Amino acid sequence: MTVHIVPAPAVLVEQPAPPLLLGAGTRLLTCEAGLPAATLLAEVLARSTGRALEVEVTDAVTAVPGALRLELDTDLPVPAPGAAGHAPGLAARAEEAYRLDVDSAGLLLRARGPLGLARGVATVRQLVELGGHGARIPAVQVEDAPHHGWRGLSVDVARHFVGPAVLESVIDLMWLYKLDVLHLHLTDDQGWRLDLPSRPELVARSSGSAVDGDPGGAFTARTWADLVAYAADRGVVVVPEIDVPGHVNAALHACGDLVPGGEPTPEYHGIEVGFSQLTAGLPATSAFLRDVFTDLAHLTPGPYLHVGGDEVLTMAHEEYADLVGQAAAAVRAADKLVVGWQEVATTSPAPGTVVQVWDLRQDPAPLAAAVQGGALVLMSPATRAYLDLKYDPTTPLGLDWAGHVEVHDAYDWEPATVLPGVPGRAVVGVEAAVFTETLRTRDDLMWMLLPRLPALAEVGWTSPDTRDWDDFRRRLAWHPALWAADGNAWHPSPQIDWVG
Ligand code: ACM
């Protein structure tokens, strides 16, 4: 039997022993706190075996021959230290740690809390094998914990809208690869995708549009809350972005008082960037910033809100810094932490602000100064982490403004050392990003994410001391069966010798 877990765990011992066989009588036992993870496991097994497994909740999870047991152990040892940086508000490393022991006598998954159990169940999903005689799980011992704390994926739902069903599939994929932050780019020139109670005109006027005149869409408070809860059940925190003070044509189309002269701008269906902006001198602008970020905070249980801040090409720096400062102040006043794209480093951001690096061509000096001032750094360099870039010149979808990103490019780098002027202790982790100018459907999206998202997931989760491209290639080669089981499209990169 072969084991091919992605991302690679800290410690994996394959035991030379018979596997655990799953049958009609297999029992699944857990305590109350383990119920969400056990429910995930029951779903996984139902999908692979076609047999529903009932979760038995009990105070005393005792060994029962052949059973699957999920247990809390508040003293569980955590393997070797992870990266130096940490994002306040995200789970501590120990909360994501888990230990898994499987042999023919049973499966025991232990963690300090529910989050670690959810991570461990993702590993179990990758271990279940289907043979002629039913499902089985190889005899293994796994001890695991993440290297980086922030392991994100940013999805642009503004250029093209994909609704809750597609995003649930994306969250399933994130869970499978132990990612923990879903960043949603909710607003841009082409559309506004979240209904905010204080500003109903934003979705009323600006949610129906998208790139190329394609249909738009938006989240209601209810569909948004459901999505955030679905993510939370899988150990994924949602970080919503309202992009200001540029990328705002959808707002200017909905609210004429944000435009000098008072006339709403036309809808925009193209893919140029940098032309739209808020105006600091207009009386409506400050109220708009305060209202949208206050509403967003009320709709967001997670600790972070993203203020955008990228690519404002039409504005003097003083006005830019003023508007970014107002947005960040509104976020902090609502008791949330601030994330902004790389350009916000030029505004002397407050200590603790997370600055998301995306363009390694930008002058690194403001970033280094911001870090000196206490800012933190999230790494999404386009040349490694932008999964809307083409794989190679023949890729029919995607963009190529920063070149091509093949699986090896996505894999072979380390967030803590990619920028020499930024010390590792300031780097909170890594985030993949997928902008959707050319991506319309679930298949388009999945085809760009797979197989590069698992590569970035391993960059985030697995220690650089353990990571190895050739080993990763061999493990990833087995994963299309998992993607097919979920109905996910994927790109057969020639860099991997795919199995089957
Ligand atoms: C960006 O790609 N403009 C963040």
Side-chain angles (χ1 to χ4, degrees):
M1 297 178 87
T2 45
V3 170
H4 18 76
I5 302 166
V6 174
V11 178
L12 166 66
V13 182
E14 296 181 53
Q15 310 282 16
L20 173 64
L21 305 177
L22 304 178
T26 300
R27 294 174 63 189
L28 172 52
L29 306 166
T30 192
C31 55
E32 191 71 40
L35 186 57
T39 305
L40 279 177
L41 180 56
E43 283 169 17
V44 161
L45 295 175
R47 233 180 315 169
S48 9
T49 65
R51 223 183 340 249
L53 210 61
E54 196 185 323
V55 180
E56 298 175 53
V57 176
T58 153
D59 281 343
V61 182
T62 49
V64 173
L68 315 170
R69 290 180 293 145
L70 275 54
E71 276 186 14
L72 294 190
D73 175 354
T74 48
D75 297 325
L76 187 79
V78 178
H86 179 71
L90 294 187
R93 187 162 179 270
E95 292 176 61
E96 294 195 273
Y98 68 93
R99 178 176 171 130
L100 177 66
D101 292 277
V102 187
D103 61 23
S104 59
L107 175 152
L108 176 59
L109 173 61
R110 282 174 289 166
R112 293 191 181 196
L115 188 57
L117 293 178
R119 300 289 177 247
V121 173
T123 295
V124 175
R125 176 163 186 218
Q126 296 191 13
L127 288 170
V128 176
E129 297 181 356
L130 294 175
H133 305 289
R136 53 193 199 165
I137 305 178
V140 291
Q141 180 190 317
V142 178
E143 292 169 61
D144 208 2
H147 187 67
H148 291 290
W150 188 309
R151 305 175 308 279
L153 170 64
S154 168
V155 180
D156 167 15
V157 292
R159 269 52 172 267
H160 279 104
F161 184 69
V162 290
V166 173
L167 289 174
E168 286 182 9
S169 302
V170 169
I171 291 166
D172 290 346
L173 196 59
M174 293 178 68
W175 168 72
L176 180 63
Y177 292 111
K178 303 187 175 78
L179 297 173
D180 65 343
V181 176
L182 174 61
H183 161 188
L184 290 171
H185 180 74
L186 291 168
T187 69
D188 212 301
D189 293 319
Q190 299 85 351
W192 189 281
R193 307 303 181 202
L194 178 62
D195 193 16
L196 299 179
S198 71
R199 299 275 168 161
E201 66 273 25
L202 287 164
V203 294
R205 288 184 49 81
S206 284
S207 67
S209 49
V211 165
D212 283 346
D214 288 334
F219 289 98
T220 63
R222 166 50 81 80
T223 56
W224 176 255
D226 288 348
L227 185 79
V228 169
Y230 187 91
D233 285 347
R234 286 150 186 80
V236 174
V237 172
V238 173
V239 174
E241 176 188 354
I242 291 179
D243 199 350
V244 294
H247 290 271
V248 289
N249 187 68
L252 306 186
H253 175 67
C255 310
D257 58 355
L258 296 175
V259 185
E263 272 302 304
T265 56
E267 277 186 3
Y268 183 67
H269 301 155
I271 63 167
E272 295 302 318
V273 295
F275 60 88
S276 62
Q277 66 157 89
L278 296 175
T279 301
L282 288 176
T285 299
S286 294
F288 172 82
L289 289 170
R290 194 184 55 238
D291 288 350
V292 297
F293 285 107
T294 305
D295 278 359
L296 192 62
H298 288 146
L299 291 168
T300 304
Y304 284 96
L305 304 186
H306 201 305
V307 300
D310 57 321
E311 294 181 308
V312 190
L313 307 180
T314 56
M315 197 183 280
H317 183 260
E318 195 180 335
E319 184 178 15
Y320 172 77
D322 175 9
L323 292 170
V324 168
Q326 289 189 45
V331 170
R332 282 193 296 272
D335 278 336
K336 298 292 181 184
L337 302 166
V338 179
V339 194
W341 292 108
Q342 188 169 356
E343 290 90 329
V344 306
T346 64
T347 66
S348 305
T353 302
V354 174
V355 178
Q356 185 169 12
V357 167
W358 64 279
D359 185 355
L360 296 182
R361 300 167 308 184
Q362 288 183 24
D363 177 6
L367 184 69
V371 167
Q372 284 274 320
L376 301 168
V377 177
L378 175 63
M379 283 297 174
S380 303
T383 47
R384 304 291 190 174
Y386 269 32
L387 303 187
D388 56 297
L389 293 181
K390 292 175 183 288
Y391 292 89
D392 63 42
T394 68
T395 308
L397 298 169
L399 304 176
D400 60 4
W401 63 267
H404 304 126
V405 178
E406 250 295 358
V407 187
H408 183 259
D409 302 308
Y411 187 81
D412 193 24
W413 65 294
E414 169 48 40
T417 54
V418 71
L419 269 179
V422 175
R425 64 178 158 69
V427 176
V428 298
V430 53
E431 189 167 286
V434 62
F435 289 93
T436 56
E437 287 93 336
T438 68
L439 311 178
R440 291 182 165 76
T441 65
R442 171 181 167 164
D443 281 359
D444 289 352
L445 205 53
M446 291 295 179
W447 198 83
M448 297 305 263
L449 294 179
L450 294 171
R452 294 179 291 191
L453 190 65
L456 283 156
E458 185 151 311
V459 170
W461 180 275
T462 305
S463 162
D465 301 337
T466 306
R467 286 203 280 122
D468 177 79
W469 164 247
D470 283 323
D471 183 57
F472 173 75
R473 287 177 71 233
R474 274 192 295 276
R475 283 178 281 120
L476 189 69
W478 292 82
H479 282 235
L482 291 165
W483 308 333
D486 289 345
N488 289 334
W490 59 284
H491 168 65
S493 163
Q495 294 189 332
I496 313 291
D497 298 324
W498 300 105
V499 172

